[in-house]
Amino acid sequence: MNPYARHIFICTGRYCDPSGKATHLYTRLARLLGPLGAYEHPRRVKRGTSSCLGVCSGGPIVVVYPDGIWYHHVDEAVLERIVREHLEQNRPVTEHMFHRLQGEGNGRT
């Protein structure tokens, strides 16, 4: 199995996403990733959902690992920016970040 460079999770929990937007974002993400989602891509990105990421407000919440970058209030426009700027160009979308893990585990600061 080819390794993934990154994994992007979208919280679908009812407290984080009471209006149910996260499921639509997850579906949209498949199209936005395009070649980045392909098995043979060297910087392949895996997408997934979580029924709870433990934040429970400000959603939809999206987190990118191993970067450890958490985004709040993600809509389609923000998701497009996350894919284009963060995943493709290695430039996190700072105005939508609310947390960034620090330390040895993620290899980034």
Side-chain angles (χ1 to χ4, degrees), residues 1-6 36 38-46:
M1 179 174 125
N2 285 339
Y4 294 102
R6 289 190 170 115
L36 278 177
Y39 181 77
E40 61 280 346
H41 198 287
R43 292 183 302 124
R44 172 165 86 133
V45 176
K46 172 75 173 160

Side-chain angles (χ1 to χ4, degrees), residues 64-99:
V64 177
Y65 279 105
D67 308 47
I69 294 178
W70 294 64
Y71 294 102
H72 63 89
H73 296 98
V74 176
D75 58 17
E76 282 194 53
V78 174
L79 187 65
E80 288 175 19
R81 289 190 62 199
I82 292 169
V83 171
R84 186 178 65 248
E85 296 173 31
H86 185 158
L87 302 178
E88 293 176 358
Q89 300 170 7
N90 283 326
R91 291 184 304 119
V93 183
T94 56
E95 61 267 29
H96 291 281
M97 287 172 48
F98 72 93
H99 183 68

Side-chain angles (χ1 to χ4, degrees), residues 50-73:
S50 173
S51 60
C52 183
L53 289 171
V55 178
C56 300
S57 66
I61 300 295
V62 170
V63 62
V64 177
Y65 279 105
D67 308 47
I69 294 178
W70 294 64
Y71 294 102
H72 63 89
H73 296 98

